[in-house]
Amino acid sequence: MNSAQWIEKSDRCIMKTYGRYPIVPVRGEGCRLWDADGKEYLDFLAGVAVNNLGHCHPRVVKAIQEQAATLIHCSNYYQIPQQIELAELLCSHSFADRAFFCNSGAEANEAAIKLARKHSRDTTGKPERYGIITAAESFHGRTMATVSATGQEKVQRFFDPLLHGFTHVPFNDIAAMASAIDDNTCAVMLEPIQGEGGVNIPDATYLQQVRELCDRHNLLLILDEVQVGMGRTGKLFAHEHFGITPDIMTLAKALAGGAPIGTMLAREEIARAFVPGTHGSTFGGNPLVCAAALATVRTILEEGILNRTEEMGEYLLGELEGVAAKFPKLVKNVRGIGLMVGMGLQIPGGDIVKKGHELGLLLNVTHDTVLRFVPPLTVSKAEVDAMIAILESIFAEVEI
Ligand SMILES: *Cc1c(COP(=O)(O)O)cnc(C)c1O
């Protein structure tokens, strides 16, 4: 079937939860995708920061193939060696002592919210101490609790009553955070760098000040690294840039190279609040996804991916600054850490994305006016150059 035929069929049977573009990717390799008509695309979205090692990385493919032929699923009623090894690997490279596995970013954040509430109740004896402060323009997922945590009206609209206990404050505003804390607050939950909210990078000291506030008020600091973790910023976890550690961290997106996984990591004295019966997941951390994740994490750590990300991030940022200088009427600013890069536009970016598609470039616009560049961390200079050439040709056409 060609793309048009797939799109027509989709229109008849798929729920309309996404404003999908008329592109039907059927094969991928590295930074390239091919659609059902054989058209090639340069992929600067990478499954929304999921395919950090590019499409179909040989080590991930091999791990999935071997594990699929050995044991796909068995249940968390039993011990799962791949899950144990993955937990050990993630803990040995982070502040955390223990991991819980689930299937998505929203589920990881759900787990974090439940753990924070239970920990608060267990340690203070106050059931009313369940408040969690999150940021305006944040994004934490699409389940009811994570929609309630998310600081975007467009995500919450139509679904009230929301889950009680979330307060939203402006991101990167420590005074607002301080004044939102009350006797019933148990945690602060933040993305170290906001992704869906428009690639918002906080001031160097913001997260340190949040950490200090949390320590002073005995609050847990939950960092949602679902999008910016796993090497995206040039460090394994984004909070490493800011010289702090959280109490709980959530990961998902890139963790298993495209296989569906989420994890919630915590220090021992907090993890202790979860005991048999308090939380769980049928699929969470099954042998197949954990084998994929092990191959992904090991590749990131063993093949110099973090250094490469830092280097290519600087190169991409420099090239985009060049574009910004050439098109000052179109581009407001460029910002980024590693390969988490945003270009603020003076105009909505939807048409630029569509023109990119015509020219074989997959790009994304978030928060209406921010072009988000999250290519595979394995992207080459030649691929960045090719993307820049396409972008400049689009901008040249747009600018009157
Ligand atoms: C994508 C994302 C989520 C939600 O992850 P899902 O796997 O779609 O549930 C949560 N938080 C952040 C920061 C994200 O970018």
Side-chain angles (χ1 to χ4, degrees):
M1 293 218 293
N2 65 24
S3 296
Q5 289 165 322
W6 281 119
I7 291 162
E8 190 201 296
K9 206 193 262 288
S10 166
D11 262 353
R12 284 185 268 123
C13 62
I14 299 290
M15 283 206 200
K16 305 269 181 182
T17 43
Y18 310 99
R20 295 177 195 264
Y21 297 109
I23 297 174
V24 186
V26 292
R27 186 165 68 84
E29 193 186 316
C31 290
R32 310 256 161 192
L33 275 178
W34 289 266
D35 74 11
D37 303 329
K39 179 173 170 179
E40 183 178 311
Y41 296 88
L42 190 54
D43 187 2
F44 269 70
L45 180 59
V48 195
V50 167
N51 304 104
N52 280 12
L53 296 176
H55 294 283
C56 298
H57 188 283
R59 280 182 75 172
V60 179
V61 170
K62 183 160 177 282
I64 291 174
Q65 283 173 337
E66 286 179 2
Q67 191 58 47
T70 310
L71 181 66
I72 294 174
H73 181 81
C74 60
S75 167
N76 282 307
Y77 288 157
Y78 311 110
Q79 297 287 351
I80 301 172
Q82 295 76 14
Q83 190 183 116
I84 298 164
E85 280 193 90
L86 180 59
E88 190 176 51
L89 184 60
L90 291 172
C91 290
S92 73
H93 285 89
S94 71
F95 67 93
D97 299 308
R98 292 183 187 273
F100 167 80
F101 290 98
C102 48
N103 312 287
S104 68
E107 279 182 53
N109 289 332
E110 285 274 345
I113 292 163
K114 284 180 73 175
L115 183 63
R117 283 190 173 192
K118 178 129 186 332
H119 171 265
S120 176
R121 191 181 282 234
D122 287 357
T123 54
T124 67
K126 292 186 194 159
E128 69 280 9
R129 191 176 179 274
Y130 58 78
I132 299 180
I133 301 171
T134 68
E137 312 305 335
S138 60
F139 183 78
H140 298 296
R142 296 288 192 162
T143 61
M144 282 308 305
T146 57
V147 155
S148 307
T150 291
Q152 296 188 54
E153 205 269 333
K154 70 172 192 218
V155 171
Q156 300 180 332
R157 175 174 67 186
F158 310 126
F159 300 109
D160 53 308
L162 299 175
L163 190 69
H164 197 65
F166 291 95
T167 307
H168 302 101
V169 297
F171 188 58
N172 200 26
D173 180 341
I174 196 66
M177 177 72 71
S179 60
I181 296 168
D182 66 24
D183 289 347
N184 293 336
T185 308
C186 73
V188 169
M189 178 161 161
L190 293 172
E191 298 157 84
I193 297 161
Q194 290 188 331
E196 303 306 305
V199 189
N200 302 322
I201 304 169
D203 296 341
T205 57
Y206 175 66
L207 288 171
Q208 287 169 12
Q209 290 172 306
V210 172
R211 178 74 266 181
E212 281 162 24
L213 272 179
C214 288
D215 291 343
R216 197 172 330 134
H217 295 275
N218 192 26
L219 312 178
L220 298 182
L221 178 57
I222 304 168
L223 289 183
D224 176 346
E225 294 232 12
V226 167
Q227 184 160 155
V228 293
M230 306 323 298
R232 175 55 53 192
T233 66
K235 304 230 185 253
L236 193 56
F237 307 116
H239 67 259
E240 295 171 30
H241 290 282
F242 302 100
I244 56 144
T245 56
D247 301 298
I248 299 175
M249 171 171 69
T250 55
L251 300 170
K253 289 197 164 82
L255 177 54
I261 193 170
T263 187
M264 188 264 301
L265 299 150
R267 291 193 292 108
E268 172 66 28
E269 58 267 45
I270 296 147
R272 204 177 285 153
F274 271 178
V275 295
T278 41
H279 198 49
S281 164
T282 296
F283 289 124
N286 85 7
L288 187 70
V289 292
C290 288
L294 274 171
T296 303
V297 181
R298 284 176 181 153
T299 304
I300 291 172
L301 294 171
E302 291 165 10
E303 297 191 11
I305 300 288
L306 298 176
N307 286 339
R308 218 195 125 92
T309 301
E310 194 185 333
E311 252 173 60
M312 289 309 299
E314 278 169 23
Y315 183 68
L316 172 63
L317 199 63
E319 292 300 297
L320 288 173
E321 276 162 0
V323 176
K326 279 189 209 166
F327 299 95
K329 276 189 254 159
L330 269 179
V331 183
K332 230 186 251 173
N333 56 41
V334 176
R335 65 261 186 180
I337 303 187
L339 285 165
M340 178 81 192
V341 178
M343 174 181 262
L345 299 175
Q346 306 281 10
I347 57 165
D351 287 344
I352 289 164
V353 169
K354 282 186 193 151
K355 288 215 171 83
H357 293 167
E358 283 166 27
L359 298 171
L361 171 65
L362 299 185
L363 258 192
N364 168 258
V365 63
T366 184
H367 222 244
D368 200 33
T369 57
V370 181
L371 291 180
R372 175 172 44 176
F373 301 85
V374 283
L377 308 182
T378 53
V379 68
S380 68
K381 266 192 177 168
E383 285 159 338
V384 170
D385 293 344
M387 183 280 290
I388 293 288
I390 296 174
L391 194 65
E392 289 197 342
S393 74
I394 297 170
F395 281 7
E397 221 182 285
V398 170
E399 202 172 50
I400 315 137

